[in-house]
Structure formats: structure tokens, C-alpha cells
């Protein structure tokens, strides 16, 4: 078995074996510019080189460690040149016997799993990045597709691994009774020697000796495994109860003279059990392929992928996302700015646990297949980070439009209408790693499916400090996953095992990101107090609350407040910047104490809580618990209050106009029935002609009044003759009280409400 590393620059004239250079091995396998002395091969997979009569593997670049200088890159401490021929004396001298066996078995396993991964990918994806050859073989009266020699080797290995009990049972059954002496036949048919007065039989007769065809099949089977281990470097657990056929005889006679196929055909009629027939099939397929290779009857045998980055993305998407991405609206994954999201699924929100579709959130991920740096770490580039943030912004904008247009189709609702806070969207990177020696029993393990956080793995993108629930506050985390586990799980193509790992890793994503938030924020539960208009309080203090509070469910009767921690976390530097630039930041930073002073009049503020499966806090008794809902309007008439500096316009034109930007309306534009105008000592009530207001531009208003107006748009009411009597049930003191007790107007356009 010969090994090359994806993307590593090889000198084509490097001597691998006697009279055999790199260019000789690969010239019939992959295309390259032969005039260039150094070439890197962007392939991963398997091929069979007729020049060396051996299998050749291209391994992924992730197995390399070291700096970006090729001379410093190694695999297990050996250079990529040294491991080309892993059976050479040069490479054996670099490791002790146990280390050599361990690395050899690892490379053998990795080669098979890489091959299986590409094969599984080929079944469900287009083959634009694949190069392969396929063949047909005859077996048990019907044609069965058979791809490569490696397919047969893998099948032989799997059968041996999964049927050890069967093979041991057969071996014991065949050998039982062979040493039991049949004394009647021995005394009758042989001559005894008298020694010290006692007969001694030197040639006792045992169980009748005949050719055992079951044993012959198993001898051939184990001899084939032994030949593959000896010739191609694959490791097998071989039952040594048999006298095996030597690798030299297998090659010269069973393969070279096609004795293997002929002998198997002669004994085939003896077998009826499924497993015996399976052994026969595997051995026959092996001899057919090897015989054709020996006679040079086939084209080069290979299955190669030339863009393994894409295959790695497909693997992660299959294992982490499952079928979820295909069920999402196309605009989310194939975004309008041309960006394609690698991984996306809908899962439980980070703040509170709920299974309702509108309470869930989007998980957006990107997978990176990079060569590892010093210490086994990988670094994500700035371009990739920026692209990931753009994915999230596009999703938020699409989701906002969906709900504003009223087109919700069971999608998560990211924005809370009351607080205008946003459900945080988890963003994550997944990169490949190889377990290091520091991980002890996990070294080179294909079974270690843990996620490993990179140091300083948290990236924070924001426009304002201390606004976790702002739409522009995006958290990005970076995890490493065992590359060996990923290729083995994907290569098995076992949907049940994949589903188990998927559920587990999604839970880990949520828990780890929640831990990051708990480390950097303090969370408080705000429960409304009875008798208080908490809805209006939240709306009135929107600026102070912006991005800091969030209502986790549509009908939840509590809010979550998130404030940055001030010590011992990733944001110490940011907090110092806040202190140094307080004048610039102004009220965008509000301390916990300032919040509590304002909140406790309206809300019950809990002790700090931590994000987990669900928020845990003491619910207020029903008699003390208020509501976050908007109070129902109990009004049928509205009075517009304002002031004027020009009574002539009102009296001559019969209209009252208010600049839109001066109008303070929390409920849109109601149907006003009365206008109360105040100027100095003059106070007048007017009843409007129509409860429907007009919107006029400054030029349109100028045509009516003959005066110049500086604002762009005005709200205009046509008035009747002024009434010196107040409307029924309204006193001038009521008007002043509703204006906050002020004798002069500091704002125009206050709306008063007349109760029924």
C-alpha cells in the first residue's frame, strides 16, 4: 500500500522503491504536468497502480500537522515522503515495533473509511467531483455490480470481523474427534510391537481421513486474508488453526494460473448455507479481480474525489442537519445575495425551551476542512467569519418580512413584538481534527464523537454594547470534531446511529452556547406587578430597554433581562472601553442598579438565573401578578390638544395643522372628534367636521393658508365654529391633568381620551 497526502507538493523524481519514482507510480492514475518537477495532487481516494501492482491511497490533508512550510509538515513525526511506502526499512526505523503496527493499522483503517465515505457520497450526489471505474462480475447465476478490488477487500474484512463466532464454531466442529483412536480397527489392521510384555501400536487408526471441503474453503478464505495483509498492508484477525497457503503460492498459482477460480468452481456444489456461500462469493470475487489485474485485462482501478472540501460539507450536513435543510424555505439556504448556507436546522431557542414552531430558532453552521496547525488547532479566516454573520443577517431580514407580511408558515418568530428584542441565533463553525497523543485512549480513535471547543472560540459581533437581544448582536462559536469519527459514521451509512449522534450533538450545541451566554451575561426574570401598566412602561422606556429585554414566548407573562457581567470574562476589555467612552455611549449603557431602581416599581426582579433546559424562577402569586398585555381601550372620543402662534389661520381657513414629527401617538392616528387649542390665556375647543384626518405636504398646506411651512408633512383637521362650552363630561382641569399638570405645552399633538 502506497500513501500520498492531498495537496502536498511532491518531487516527481523522488525515488520510492528501486527504479520507481513518484511520476512512475501516478502517471497512469492522475493527470499532471510532467514538465513541472514538483506537483501537488488535489485528490482523495483509492487507485490501483499497475506499475507497482499495489493499491495507492490519497489521504486527506487533515492528517498533516505543522506550519504552512512543506518541509515542516509531518504525519506521526514522519515526513510525507517517508510514509509513501510504509513498509520500507526507512520508515520502520522511525518507530518502535508497537508504534509501527499502530500507525500501520490506523492508516489501513483510514484508507478504507475514506473509500467508503466517497462511495456513500457517490450514491446520493452528483459525480462532478468524482473519477471512478465500475465493473460487472458473475456470481451465483446473476450479475452483481462490483466496483473495485478494494470493495472486495472491504467485504472480506467486514465478514471476518462480524462472523468470528461462526468461523470459530466451524473450526471446532471440523477438528473435533480427529485425535480419537478407533481401537477395533487399530487392533485388526495394524501390527503391535511387544515391549516389556505389553503391546504398543505405533500407527493407530484415527477418524477416517478424507478431503474436507468445508475446511478447504476456510483455508482458502484465511489464506486470501493473509495474502492481502502481506501484499497490500491491510490488517486482519486470522484464525491460525489452519495450515495456510503461502502468499507466494497464492500469487503464482491461485492468481497467476487462475487456480483459485477453478478450484472454487469445483467445490461450490458442496455448500448450501448462506454464510458458506457468502465466503465462496467473496473468495471468487477476489480471485477474479486479481487474475484480471495480473493479466492486465482491466483499466486502472480507482475511485477518487478531487474536491474533498465539498464532501466534508456534505458529511457534516448529513450528520448534523439530517433532512432538515431540505424542508426549509429555499430563500433561507439559497439566499438572494448568492450565498449558500452550509448547514441550517431549526431547534430549541437558547433562552427558553418550547416545542411550538414560533418559539424555536435557527441554527446556522459552516464546516471547515483545514490542514491543522501547530498543536493541532485550526484558524478560521476573517472572510469566513464575515460570511457567517451575513448568513444570520439575511435570515433575520427574511424572517422579519415573513411576519410583517403576515405570511408565517410555521416558522420561528425571531422578533418579539412587545420588546422588539430578537431571539438569539446560534452560529457555529465545525472544523476537522485528529485526536492527539495527549488524549491518551482517544488517540487515533474512530469512535470518539465528542465536540471540542477551540480556545478563544467565542466571537462577538455587535453594534452596541450590552444588547444581547439586538438584531445585530451575533454570537459565533467554533468547535472541532474528530475527523476519523465523522468519516466512519458517514461511511457506515447507518441512519439510526447517525440520528442518535445528531440528537446528541444538537443538544451539545445548545448547552455549550448557553454556557457561553451564562459566562458573559447575568439574566433576570421580570414579572409584572398587579395594578401597573407594564405594557406602557416598556413602550415608554424603549430606548433604555432596547436589546436588553426579551419576551421568550408570545404569551409569556414575564420578561428576560440580560446584562453583561463586569468581571472575569471575555468582555473585560469592552467594559473598560465603555468606562473610557461614557460620554460617547450615553444612555446605551445602563447599569444593573439603574435598571432595578426603575423596574421595581412595575416589575418583580428575580435573583440572577442561568440559562438551561428551561428557566427556573418563583412565579408570583396570582393576586400579585399583573399583565404584560396592552390594556384594552375604553374610549369612544379623542381630543387633540395643541398650541398655536397664529389664530388667523385657524379662524380664516378653519383648519388646524400639526407637523407629523411633533405628533406623539402610541396608537397610530385615532379618529379625533375635538381639538383643544391653547395660546396664552386663550383656550378654545373646536369640533372637527370629519373624524378622518388629512395628510398634506408643506406645498399643499401653503396653498390653503398662504403661508410658508417648514415641515414636510402635516396632519390637518377641518374645524367647525369654536365652542365656548366644553364637551359634556370634560373639564378644563381634566385637560391640564392629562397634560401632566403643565401650564404651558412642551410638546404639540398630545392625544387625550374621553372615557365612555
Amino acid at each position: 500500500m502506497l500513501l500520498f497526502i492531498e495537496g502536498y507538493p511532491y518531487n516527481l523524481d523522488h525515488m520510492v522503491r528501486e527504479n520507481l519514482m513518484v511520476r512512475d507510480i501516478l502517471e497512469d492514475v492522475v493527470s499532471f504536468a510532467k514538465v513541472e518537477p514538483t506537483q501537488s495532487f488535489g485528490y482523495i481516494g483509492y487507485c490501483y497502480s499497475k506499475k507497482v501492482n499495489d493499491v495507492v491511497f490519497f489521504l486527506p490533508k487533515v492528517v498533516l500537522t505543522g506550519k504552512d512550510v512543506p518541509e515542516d509538515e509531518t504525519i506521526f513525526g514522519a515526513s510525507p515522503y517517508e510514509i509513501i511506502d510504509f513498509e520500507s526499512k526507512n520508515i520502520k526505523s522511525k518507530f518502535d515495533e508497537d508504534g509501527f503496527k499502530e500507525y500501520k493499522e490506523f492508516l489501513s483503517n483510514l484508507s478504507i473509511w475514506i473509500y467508503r465515505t466517497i462511495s456513500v457520497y457517490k450514491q446520493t450526489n452528483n459525480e462532478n467531483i468524482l473519477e471512478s471505474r465500475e465493473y460487472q462480475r458473475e456470481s451465483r447465476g446473476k450479475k452483481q455490480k462490483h466496483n473495485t478490488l478494494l470493495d472486495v477487500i472491504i467485504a472480506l474484512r467486514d465478514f471476518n470481523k462480524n462472523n468470528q463466532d461462526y468461523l470459530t464454531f466451524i473450526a471446532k466442529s471440523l477438528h473435533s474427534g480427529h485425535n480419537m483412536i478407533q481401537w477395533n480397527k487399530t487392533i485388526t489392521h495394524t501390527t503391535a510391537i511387544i515391549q516389556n510384555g505389553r503391546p504398543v501400536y505405533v500407527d493407530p487408526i484415527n477418524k477416517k481421513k478424507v478431503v474436507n471441503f468445508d475446511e478447504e474453503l476456510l483455508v482458502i478464505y484465511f489464506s486470501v486474508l493473509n495474502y492481502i495483509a502481506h501484499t497490500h498492508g491491510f490488517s486482519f484477525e486470522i484464525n491460525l488453526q489452519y495450515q495456510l497457503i503461502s502468499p507466494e503460492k497464492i500469487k503464482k498459482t491461485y492468481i497467476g494460473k487462475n487456480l483459485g477460480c477453478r478450484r472454487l468452481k469445483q467445490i461450490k456444489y458442496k455448500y448450501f448455507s448462506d454464510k458458506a456461500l457468502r465466503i465462496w462469493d467473496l473468495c471468487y470475487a477476489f480471485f477474479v479481480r486479481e487474475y484480471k489485474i495480473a493479466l492486465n485485462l482491466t483499466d486502472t482501478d480507482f475511485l477518487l474525489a478531487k474536491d474533498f472540501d465539498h464532501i466534508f460539507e456534505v458529511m457534516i450536513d448529513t450528520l448534523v442537519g439530517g433532512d432538515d435543510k431540505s424542508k426549509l424555505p429555499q430563500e433561507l439556504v439559497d439566499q438572494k445575495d448568492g450565498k449558500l448556507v452550509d448547514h441550517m436546522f431549526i431547534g430549541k431557542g437558547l433562552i427558553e425551551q418550547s416545542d411550538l414552531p414560533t418559539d424555536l430558532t435557527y441554527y446556522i453552521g459552516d464546516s471547515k476542512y483545514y490542514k491543522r496547525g501547530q498543536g493541532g488547532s485550526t484558524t478560521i479566516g476573517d472572510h469566513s467569519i464575515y460570511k457567517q454573520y451575513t448568513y444570520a443577517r439575511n435570515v433575520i431580514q427574511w424572517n422579519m418580512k415573513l411576519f410583517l407580511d403576515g405570511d408565517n408558515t410555521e416558522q420561528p418568530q425571531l422578533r418579539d413584538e412587545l420588546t422588539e428584542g430578537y431571539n438569539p441565533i446560534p452560529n457555529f463553525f465545525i472544523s476537522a481534527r485528529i485526536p492527539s497523543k495527549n488524549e491518551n485512549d482517544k488517540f487515533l480513535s474512530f469512535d470518539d464523537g465528542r465536540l471540542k471547543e477551540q480556545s478563544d472560540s467565542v466571537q462577538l459581533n455587535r453594534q452596541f454594547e450590552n444588547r444581547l437581544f439586538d438584531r445585530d448582536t451575533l454570537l459565533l462559536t467554533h468547535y472541532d470534531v474528530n475527523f476519523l469519527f465523522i468519516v466512519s459514521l458517514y461511511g457506515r451509512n447507518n441512519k439510526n446511529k447517525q440520528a442518535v449522534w445528531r440528537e446528541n450533538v444538537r443538544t451539545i450545541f445548545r448547552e455549550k452556547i448557553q454556557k457561553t451566554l451564562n459566562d458573559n451575561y447575568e439574566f433576570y426574570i421580570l414579572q409584572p406587578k398587579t395594578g401597573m401598566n407594564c405594557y406602557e412602561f416598556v413602550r415608554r422606556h424603549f430606548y433604555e430597554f432596547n436589546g436588553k429585554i426579551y419576551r421568550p414566548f408570545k404569551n409569556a407573562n414575564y420578561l428576560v433581562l440580560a446584562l453583561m457581567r463586569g468581571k472575569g470574562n471575555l468582555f473585560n476589555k469592552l467594559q473598560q472601553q465603555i468606562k473610557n467612552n461614557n460620554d460617547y455611549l450615553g444612555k446605551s449603557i445602563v447599569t444593573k442598579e439603574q435598571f432595578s431602581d426603575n423596574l421595581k416599581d412595575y416589575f418583580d426582579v428575580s435573583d440572577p438565573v442561568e440559562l438551561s433546559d428551561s428557566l427556573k424562577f418563583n412565579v408570583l402569586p396570582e393576586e400579585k401578578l399583573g399583565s404584560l398585555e396592552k390594556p384594552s381601550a375604553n374610549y369612544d372620543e379623542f381630543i387633540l390638544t395643541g398650541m398655536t402662534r397664529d389664530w388667523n389661520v385657524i379662524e380664516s381657513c378653519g383648519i388646524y395643522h400639526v407637523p407629523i414629527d411633533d405628533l406623539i401617538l402610541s396608537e397610530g392616528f385615532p379618529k379625533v372628534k375635538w381639538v383643544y387649542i391653547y395660546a396664552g390665556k386663550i383656550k378654545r375647543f373646536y369640533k372637527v367636521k370629519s373624524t378622518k384626518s388629512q395628510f398634506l405636504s408643506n406645498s399643499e398646506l401653503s396653498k390653503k393658508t398662504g403661508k410658508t411651512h417648514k415641515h414636510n408633512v402635516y396632519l390637518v383637521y377641518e374645524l367647525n365654529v369654536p365652542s365656548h362650552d366644553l364637551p359634556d363630561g370634560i373639564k378644563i382641569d381634566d385637560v391640564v391633568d392629562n397634560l401632566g399638570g403643565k401650564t404651558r405645552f412642551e410638546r404639540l399633538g398630545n392625544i387625550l381620551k374621553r372615557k365612555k
Side-chain angles (χ1 to χ4, degrees), residues 340-369:
L340 295 173
V341 179
D342 286 354
H343 319 296
M344 182 185 291
F345 61 89
I346 294 176
K348 294 176 181 177
L350 300 177
I351 305 303
E352 186 65 288
Q353 180 168 288
S354 172
D355 293 323
L356 295 176
T358 54
D359 298 330
L360 304 178
T361 191
Y362 300 99
Y363 286 72
I364 304 174
D366 193 11
S367 53
K368 292 300 172 188
Y369 168 70

Side-chain angles (χ1 to χ4, degrees), residues 12-26:
L12 296 179
D13 295 326
H14 174 75
M15 195 66 67
V16 178
R17 294 176 180 172
E18 186 177 354
N19 299 324
L20 196 64
M21 296 182 292
V22 170
R23 69 170 68 247
D24 300 325
I25 297 171
L26 300 179

Side-chain angles (χ1 to χ4, degrees), residues 550-732:
Y550 176 70
R551 191 181 193 180
F553 306 142
K554 184 176 181 180
N555 298 319
N557 202 23
Y558 63 92
L559 302 174
V560 179
L561 164 66
L563 291 175
M564 278 186 176
R565 294 183 183 273
K567 298 179 180 180
N569 55 61
L570 298 174
F571 300 99
N572 282 341
K573 184 177 179 181
L574 297 178
Q575 291 283 44
Q576 188 62 41
Q577 291 173 346
I578 291 168
K579 182 178 179 181
N580 296 339
N581 297 284
N582 190 50
D583 293 339
Y584 171 75
L585 294 169
K587 292 184 178 180
S588 65
I589 302 302
V590 181
T591 66
K592 178 174 61 179
E593 289 74 18
Q594 287 174 308
F595 255 126
S596 296
D597 290 341
N598 292 331
L599 286 175
K600 287 183 179 179
D601 292 338
Y602 285 82
F603 291 92
D604 177 80
V605 182
S606 74
D607 293 331
V609 298
E610 287 197 345
L611 303 181
S612 58
D613 284 344
S614 59
L615 293 172
K616 297 177 176 60
F617 59 94
N618 295 322
V619 180
L620 287 178
E622 186 175 352
E623 64 273 12
K624 294 184 179 182
L625 185 62
S627 174
L628 292 172
E629 300 305 320
K630 176 181 176 181
S632 58
N634 192 28
Y635 309 102
D636 60 358
E637 290 187 359
F638 291 86
I639 301 174
L640 174 65
T641 70
M643 63 179 294
T644 184
R645 295 183 179 87
D646 193 347
W647 284 102
N648 292 329
V649 171
I650 296 173
E651 292 176 349
S652 62
C653 300
I655 62 173
Y656 181 66
H657 57 278
V658 183
I660 294 299
D661 52 358
D662 280 344
L663 193 61
I664 309 302
L665 297 172
S666 61
E667 302 170 349
F669 294 97
K671 295 179 179 181
V672 171
K673 290 187 177 183
W674 294 87
V675 175
Y676 173 75
I677 303 173
Y678 176 95
K681 294 182 179 181
I682 303 175
K683 307 177 183 67
R684 293 177 182 172
F685 269 96
Y686 292 85
K687 191 169 184 177
V688 299
K689 290 183 178 181
S690 172
T691 58
K692 186 175 181 181
S693 55
Q694 303 179 59
F695 294 93
L696 297 180
S697 66
N698 53 13
S699 60
E700 291 171 332
L701 183 60
S702 295
K703 291 178 182 179
K704 284 182 174 289
T705 64
K707 296 180 179 294
T708 302
H709 302 279
K710 63 180 181 179
H711 294 279
N712 293 324
V713 182
Y714 290 82
L715 185 66
V716 179
Y717 291 95
E718 294 184 4
L719 306 177
N720 285 315
V721 178
S723 171
H724 298 285
D725 297 324
L726 296 176
D728 293 339
I730 294 291
K731 299 178 181 180
I732 191 64

Side-chain angles (χ1 to χ4, degrees), residues 1 74 135 170 228 255 320 362 386 421 430 438 441 460 495 498 539 560 574 603 605 639 674 680 683 685 693-694 719:
M1 180 166 55
T74 62
Y135 303 95
I170 292 298
I228 293 171
I255 294 174
V320 174
Y362 300 99
Y386 178 82
I430 295 181
N438 297 331
D441 59 322
L460 178 67
K495 302 301 181 185
Q498 291 178 1
R539 304 295 292 181
V560 179
L574 297 178
F603 291 92
V605 182
I639 301 174
W674 294 87
K683 307 177 183 67
F685 269 96
S693 55
Q694 303 179 59
L719 306 177

